[in-house]
Amino acid sequence: MKILGVSLLFFIFPAPFAFVTVQAFTGTYGINYGRIANNLPSPDEVVTLLKAAKIRNVRIYDADQSVLKAFSGTGLEIVVGLPNGNLRDVSADGDHAMNWVQDNVLAYLPDTCIRGIAIGNEVLGGSDQFSGFLQGAVKNVYNAVNKLKLSDVVQITTAHSQAVFANSFPPSSCVFQDNVVQYMKPLLEFFSQIGSPFCLNAYPFLAYMYDPEHIDINYALFLPTEGANDPKTKLHYDNLLDAQIDAAYAALEDAGFKKMEVIVTETGWASHGDENESAATVDNARTYNYNLRKRLAKMKGTPLRPKNVVKAYVFALFNENLKPGPTSERNFGLFKPDGSISYDIGFPGLRSLSADSLLLSLKDNRGCGWCGCYSIILTMATAFLLVFSR
């Protein structure tokens, strides 16, 4: 039976797949595909959008079947999420964790390139509703992944907000909150053992909104500015995101995990907000996200960790009309629900893609006779009108 089991596993996962070193992030740029909305494009259309934009790294906050099926065979690399509401059950029962991994990860591999599992989101630093379950859930999910021989393929992480930090400026002064340390240190110890990074949701937008009197908006938007100096390290910062990342590195070093990598799992800028959210404008969102792309394309590190190339997932792919909270929460998308761009930072929208594909098809058929092409041209012209009459 043991030999049969090994043979069956080998059949399902060929040798090249089974021995791939885990790579949860390819390159430096990724995006969060949130779906708290009732008006978004289908997952198949989303795949078209992502491939046209050449965005390969994608994070979702659950393990939705329709999304995982749509991503099958596309080469897009996805991190799925175990929602906070599942942490209690998964933490308490290893079998529950195994069932979840089998149903939501193993069932889709290798056709869907699932490269990671995010265990909860921003669990620590707020209410303690799920804090006590995070460590157990992380270990049980990892153990399940390991038993299924997927630990070299699927990386286990969890993302933190900046609420886990006691100080963030200057970056060198950053440490973890006292009420977080009891959960954070054993978690970091385990992540250090299995080679997982520290995942940070970093928002210069929120920092600026909280303290506009002391933070230059140009510093938050990657625009020319005097910047800021860290008096302890003597390092200079010309943008706020680098400072936020280095604050995380300082907290990790203080906790004894100097070698752990920091990956930005969320960052973005709202394009619309309430009256008291004056920084949430289309111009600011365009500026931040355009300059962020340029910053990541340089493939360089931060002042404190110049050899650690900054990697970031932008928040978010779409505006999400059902998200609770202030208006800004529903307006972080690079794209509108109809697939058109929220503002231009170099990505095509679904409408432009539809028009381009129609024009290419017409060119491909220009050599045929009029009678033979009449119905094709009529159909395409009708579709063209429908696309642009929405």
Side-chain angles (χ1 to χ4, degrees):
M1 289 298 293
K2 288 184 179 179
I3 295 175
L4 179 61
V6 171
S7 299
L8 181 60
L9 189 64
F10 183 83
F11 177 75
I12 297 173
F13 297 112
F17 180 84
F19 293 99
V20 170
T21 301
V22 60
Q23 292 287 340
F25 202 121
T26 301
T28 61
Y29 192 92
I31 201 158
N32 287 278
Y33 174 19
R35 304 186 323 282
I36 305 178
N38 59 7
N39 57 356
L40 298 182
S42 70
D44 288 323
E45 291 176 302
V46 170
V47 167
T48 300
L49 197 64
L50 291 169
K51 295 187 79 170
K54 297 181 180 179
I55 299 175
R56 184 172 180 177
N57 304 290
V58 185
R59 292 178 81 244
I60 60 176
Y61 295 88
D62 53 18
D64 183 79
Q65 287 190 0
S66 63
V67 174
L68 296 179
K69 288 178 180 178
F71 277 50
S72 177
T74 64
L76 299 173
E77 300 187 354
I78 188 167
V79 174
V80 299
L82 176 73
N84 290 357
N86 294 63
L87 295 180
R88 181 192 295 267
D89 291 340
V90 171
S91 176
D93 187 352
D95 289 339
H96 193 104
M98 176 61 78
N99 291 337
W100 191 92
V101 173
Q102 288 177 327
D103 293 344
N104 297 287
V105 178
L106 182 64
Y108 297 94
L109 290 171
D111 294 337
T112 300
C113 297
I114 299 174
R115 292 293 177 255
I117 304 173
I119 312 299
N121 186 53
E122 298 187 347
V123 175
L124 304 181
S127 70
D128 284 337
Q129 183 180 3
F130 303 109
S131 298
F133 308 123
L134 180 58
Q135 174 87 352
V138 165
K139 285 189 172 183
N140 281 345
V141 170
Y142 176 78
N143 288 338
V145 166
N146 196 40
K147 287 179 181 178
L148 294 170
K149 311 298 182 185
L150 299 175
S151 58
D152 288 337
V153 178
V154 179
Q155 188 178 70
I156 308 301
T157 59
T158 188
H160 304 285
S161 75
Q162 290 187 291
V164 300
F165 302 132
N167 303 293
S168 60
F169 188 83
S172 61
S173 69
C174 190
V175 295
F176 289 111
Q177 293 273 13
D178 289 339
N179 64 343
V180 166
V181 171
Q182 61 176 318
Y183 303 111
M184 184 67 76
K185 278 209 169 182
L187 186 65
L188 294 176
E189 184 65 44
F190 185 70
F191 280 158
S192 179
Q193 293 171 7
I194 65 174
S196 292
F198 182 87
C199 294
L200 175 67
N201 295 345
Y203 286 91
F205 167 74
L206 296 178
Y208 173 78
M209 290 290 294
Y210 179 75
D211 193 11
E213 293 184 5
H214 297 98
I215 297 177
D216 180 0
I217 194 167
N218 291 333
Y219 181 59
L221 292 172
F222 302 97
L223 292 173
T225 177
E226 292 182 359
N229 296 311
D230 189 314
K232 181 180 178 181
T233 62
K234 309 301 182 185
L235 295 173
H236 177 77
Y237 291 88
D238 59 14
N239 71 83
L240 182 50
L241 182 64
D242 278 6
Q244 290 178 326
I245 296 170
D246 275 356
Y249 276 122
L252 288 169
E253 184 171 351
D254 178 75
F257 300 93
K258 183 178 180 178
K259 295 183 179 180
M260 186 170 288
E261 180 186 16
V262 174
I263 290 180
V264 177
T265 36
E266 287 184 17
T267 189
W269 199 286
S271 60
H272 183 58
D274 295 320
E275 289 185 5
N276 63 342
E277 298 178 304
S278 59
T281 67
V282 169
D283 283 344
N284 286 343
R286 180 193 300 113
T287 300
Y288 182 81
N289 282 295
Y290 178 75
N291 288 335
L292 175 66
R293 282 190 73 194
K294 291 200 301 182
R295 164 68 181 86
L296 296 174
K298 293 178 181 178
M299 299 189 71
K300 70 175 187 177
T302 60
L304 187 63
R305 295 287 188 272
K307 294 182 180 180
N308 290 9
V309 175
V310 174
K311 304 171 184 176
Y313 290 89
V314 175
F315 187 88
L317 187 57
F318 296 108
N319 290 335
E320 298 172 75
N321 68 333
L322 298 182
K323 289 198 74 174
T327 298
S328 60
E329 284 290 322
R330 295 178 286 282
N331 289 278
F332 274 89
L334 299 185
F335 297 90
K336 297 177 182 178
D338 64 359
S340 62
I341 57 174
S342 297
Y343 39 81
D344 187 8
I345 62 168
F347 293 141
L350 281 177
R351 290 186 178 187
S352 61
L353 291 173
S354 299
D356 289 344
S357 64
L358 286 168
L359 291 172
L360 286 172
S361 297
L362 284 170
K363 288 179 181 179
D364 289 342
N365 286 282
R366 62 188 175 186
C368 64
W370 171 250
C371 292
C373 291
Y374 178 78
S375 62
I376 297 174
I377 294 172
L378 181 61
T379 301
M380 290 184 174
T382 304
F384 191 92
L385 288 173
L386 287 172
V387 168
F388 285 95
S389 63
R390 292 178 182 174

